[in-house]
């Protein structure tokens, strides 16, 4: 891969016969020359930077018209890659963009590798590494909050904090090294100041680290499995949930799969619901495969919604299913609560308000059948619903958010959230700084302080890209798609 090549790629998602516009993007020294071979702008339009030209893309030899399109010209360094960039805004679908791309390749452009536009933007100093990664996050965002977090990062919020912390470390390092090199000429090292600075950086690093879990949730979302006996109301529950318009995003077509996926958003967190009951159910078949299916779905889920029929109460079959999922985080959904007369509900459930004193529905409860067998001693959160009446969905969502300790998320204040790579680097920062603190406390020679301090500095630099190896870059950018 040569960075001096002029690269080309289709920059928009393409699918046959769909989409109004498709974009082919060129970047590099020859971008403008290649575009001029192919694009014919009528009238007095001039090829100036940051202008849009209107015209036709024609085959350079046969002069056949390939597409009618707009051409956007961005000369270096005022472009995403800081190279000359040309974009052809073609008609949507596949044919136009593919033909225009092919013509660009015939004219000497090379097909861009995954993430190569962003890589160039990084290498040319247009963006730092956290910003580059957030581009990928923004494109892949499954909820508005995930997108918000990516944008905060894209605008450099994470990079700013990290550069500030790295700067502090560098300051301290300079002071210490000066004492190593010119001990006699300088006032003694202010050890208290060093301690304070190291402590500050460590604390702030830990604060940023604390956003990792949220980052993971926002990025990948939460997989929730709905399990339970046939007819307890699993499908009804999913329907009611999907229909509550606070939640619904899309229905993924589940045509050939036996598990129907729905994509919802709860409290800003993308949630993928695996409805194990999405299959057409014939009682006996389901009886046989139900348990096995519940087990499978539960294994791949982050959270299990175990539905039982409140009008029936716990049965042996429920218990069997519960056994298969109890090693996962479980919320017990007592559905068909509308069929339970108030007084008997009280008796059969004997709910006790949770010690947290949260909402009325927040019961922690151990079913009697489980208690008898010494199971579920820890208690499971319970939510009461009447799915066919669309009741209890809000409580269900609240219970889910509590389960993942994310109540705070919906309360706005969404900021950057780090990813796993950044987390690994920050853990190194915190560890190295802890070592520095030990070295200071043990009054080890100054050389020992600087070794770990340097480690911390380079770990921060690896996040922002100020100190980064080629293989790390490869790893990051190969996850991008082509055209980004
Ligand atoms: P699944 O087999 O677990 O998916 O159950 P379904 O969602 O197909 O529901 C089975 C039957 O129970 C259907 O006739 C539903 O209308 C009914 N049902 C579901 N939820 C409720 C509820 O909350 N209250 C009442 N009364 N009936 C319900
Ligand atoms: Zn069903």
């Amino acid at each position: 891969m040569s960075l001096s090549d002029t690269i080309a790629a289709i920059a928009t998602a393409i699918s046959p016969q769909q989409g109004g516009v498709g974009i082919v993007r060129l970047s590099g020294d020859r971008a403008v020359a290649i575009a001029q071979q192919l694009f014919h702008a009528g009238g007095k339009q001039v090829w100036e930077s940051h202008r849009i030209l209107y015209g036709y893309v024609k085959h350079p030899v046969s002069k056949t018209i390939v597409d009618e399109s707009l051409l956007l010209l961005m000369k270096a360094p005022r472009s995403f890659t800081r190279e000359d960039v040309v974009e052809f805004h073609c008609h949507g679908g596949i044919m136009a963009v593919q033909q225009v791309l092919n013509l660009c390749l015939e004219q000497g452009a090379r097909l861009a590798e995954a993430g190569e536009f962003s890589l160039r933007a990084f290498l040319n100093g247009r963006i730092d590494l956290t910003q580059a990664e957030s581009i990928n996050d923004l494109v892949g965002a499954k909820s508005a909050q995930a997108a918000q977090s990516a944008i905060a990062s894209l605008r450099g919020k994470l990079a700013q904090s990290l550069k500030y912390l790295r700067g502090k470390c560098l300051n301290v390092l300079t002071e210490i090294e000066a004492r190593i090199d010119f001990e006699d000429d300088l006032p003694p090292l202010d050890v208290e100041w060093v301690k304070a600075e190291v402590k500050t950086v460590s604390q702030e690093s830990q604060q940023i680290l604390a956003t990792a879990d949220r980052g993971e949730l926002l990025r990948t979302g939460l997989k929730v499995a709905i399990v339970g006996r046939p007819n307890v109301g699993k499908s009804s529950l999913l329907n009611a949930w999907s229909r509550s318009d606070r939640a619904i995003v899309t229905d993924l077509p589940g045509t050939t799969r036996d598990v129907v996926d729905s994509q919802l958003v709860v409290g800003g967190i993308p949630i993928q619901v695996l409805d194990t009951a999405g299959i057409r159910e014939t009682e006996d078949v389901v009886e046989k495969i139900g348990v096995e299916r519940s087990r499978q779905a539960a294994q791949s889920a982050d959270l299990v919604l175990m539905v039982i029929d409140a009008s029936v109460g716990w049965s042996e079959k429920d218990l069997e299913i519960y056994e298969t999922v109890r090693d996962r985080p479980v919320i017990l959904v007592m559905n068909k609560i509308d069929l339970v007369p108030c007084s008997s509900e009280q008796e059969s459930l004997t709910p006790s308000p949770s010690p947290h004193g949260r909402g009325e529905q927040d019961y922690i409860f151990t079913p009697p059948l489980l208690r008898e067998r010494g199971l579920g001693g820890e208690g499971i959160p319970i939510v009461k619903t009447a799915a066919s009446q669309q009741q209890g969905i809000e409580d269900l969502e609240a219970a889910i958010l509590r389960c993942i300790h994310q109540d705070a998320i919906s309360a706005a204040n969404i900021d950057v959230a780090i990813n796993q790579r950044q987390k690994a680097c920050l853990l190194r920062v915190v560890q190295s700084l802890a070592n520095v603190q030990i070295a200071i406390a043990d009054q080890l020679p100054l050389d020992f302080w600087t070794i770990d301090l340097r480690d911390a500095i380079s770990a921060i630099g690896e996040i922002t890209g100020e100190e980064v190896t080629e293989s790390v870059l490869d790893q990051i950018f190969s996850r991008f798609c082509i055209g980004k």
Side-chain angles (χ1 to χ4, degrees), residues 67-105:
D67 194 18
E68 175 195 26
S69 64
L70 297 175
L71 184 137
L72 176 54
L73 186 63
M74 288 161 285
K75 288 257 184 75
R78 289 176 59 211
S79 74
F80 175 55
T81 55
R82 290 215 166 143
E83 304 172 334
D84 285 350
V85 169
V86 174
E87 285 180 4
F88 295 90
H89 292 226
C90 308
H91 283 96
I94 288 183
M95 291 323 296
V97 278
Q98 215 142 57
Q99 290 187 66
V100 171
L101 174 64
N102 284 340
L103 289 178
C104 291
L105 300 180

Side-chain angles (χ1 to χ4, degrees), residues 420-430 459-460 462-463:
Q420 293 302 303
R421 183 190 79 87
Q422 295 160 341
K423 178 183 175 182
C425 294
L426 270 175
L427 282 172
R428 266 173 52 208
V429 175
V430 172
I460 301 177
E462 212 172 284
I463 306 178

Side-chain angles (χ1 to χ4, degrees), residues 230-231 233-236 275-279 281:
N231 274 319
K234 299 180 293 296
S235 304
S236 307
D275 174 25
T276 54
I279 347 145
E281 298 164 349

Side-chain angles (χ1 to χ4, degrees), residues 279-483:
I279 347 145
R280 319 288 143 254
E281 298 164 349
T282 62
E283 285 288 321
D284 49 340
V285 176
V286 169
E287 278 299 319
K288 263 186 257 144
I289 60 177
V291 174
E292 176 55 19
R293 192 172 301 283
S294 301
R295 196 186 59 75
Q296 283 175 9
Q299 284 326 299
S300 61
D302 304 304
L303 176 68
V304 175
L305 304 183
M306 160 107 202
V307 185
I308 71 168
D309 185 334
S311 66
V312 176
W314 277 85
S315 69
E316 281 293 332
K317 189 78 186 170
D318 293 322
L319 195 58
E320 197 182 332
I321 292 175
Y322 179 71
E323 282 289 348
T324 67
V325 301
R326 60 188 289 256
D327 59 328
R328 314 291 307 150
V330 179
I331 292 176
L332 182 64
V333 179
M334 309 281 302
N335 191 41
K336 307 196 190 183
I337 204 73
D338 54 305
L339 298 180
V340 181
C342 265
S343 57
S344 79
E345 175 199 332
Q346 294 303 334
E347 278 161 35
S348 70
L349 296 181
T350 54
S352 57
S354 89
H356 315 301
R358 279 177 170 135
E360 257 181 87
Q361 299 293 323
D362 187 25
Y363 298 114
I364 305 290
F365 146 92
T366 306
L369 207 51
L370 297 188
R371 224 181 292 138
E372 278 164 28
R373 308 192 183 188
L375 294 174
E378 69 285 356
I380 6 174
I382 173 175
V383 174
K384 295 178 205 165
T385 59
S388 57
Q389 264 103 72
Q390 325 258 328
Q391 279 168 22
I393 302 301
E394 279 184 32
D395 294 335
L396 177 62
E397 293 189 347
I400 290 173
L401 289 177
R402 270 200 293 281
C403 262
I404 50 180
H405 308 294
Q406 291 295 323
D407 338 31
I409 280 202
S410 50
N413 194 26
I414 298 299
D415 216 348
V416 291
I418 60 172
N419 64 29
Q420 293 302 303
R421 183 190 79 87
Q422 295 160 341
K423 178 183 175 182
C425 294
L426 270 175
L427 282 172
R428 266 173 52 208
V429 175
V430 172
Q431 183 57 55
S432 303
L433 293 177
N435 291 344
V436 176
Q437 286 168 326
I438 292 171
I440 298 175
D442 292 353
Q443 302 188 334
L444 297 180
L446 292 186
D447 287 333
F448 286 85
W449 306 18
T450 58
I451 291 174
D452 291 308
L453 200 49
R454 276 178 201 285
D455 268 353
I457 292 167
S458 82
I460 301 177
E462 212 172 284
I463 306 178
T464 56
E466 283 158 300
E467 292 183 40
V468 72
T469 63
E470 205 168 316
S471 70
V472 171
L473 289 184
D474 271 357
Q475 264 178 36
I476 293 171
F477 288 99
S478 62
R479 264 186 266 130
F480 283 50
C481 57
I482 295 187

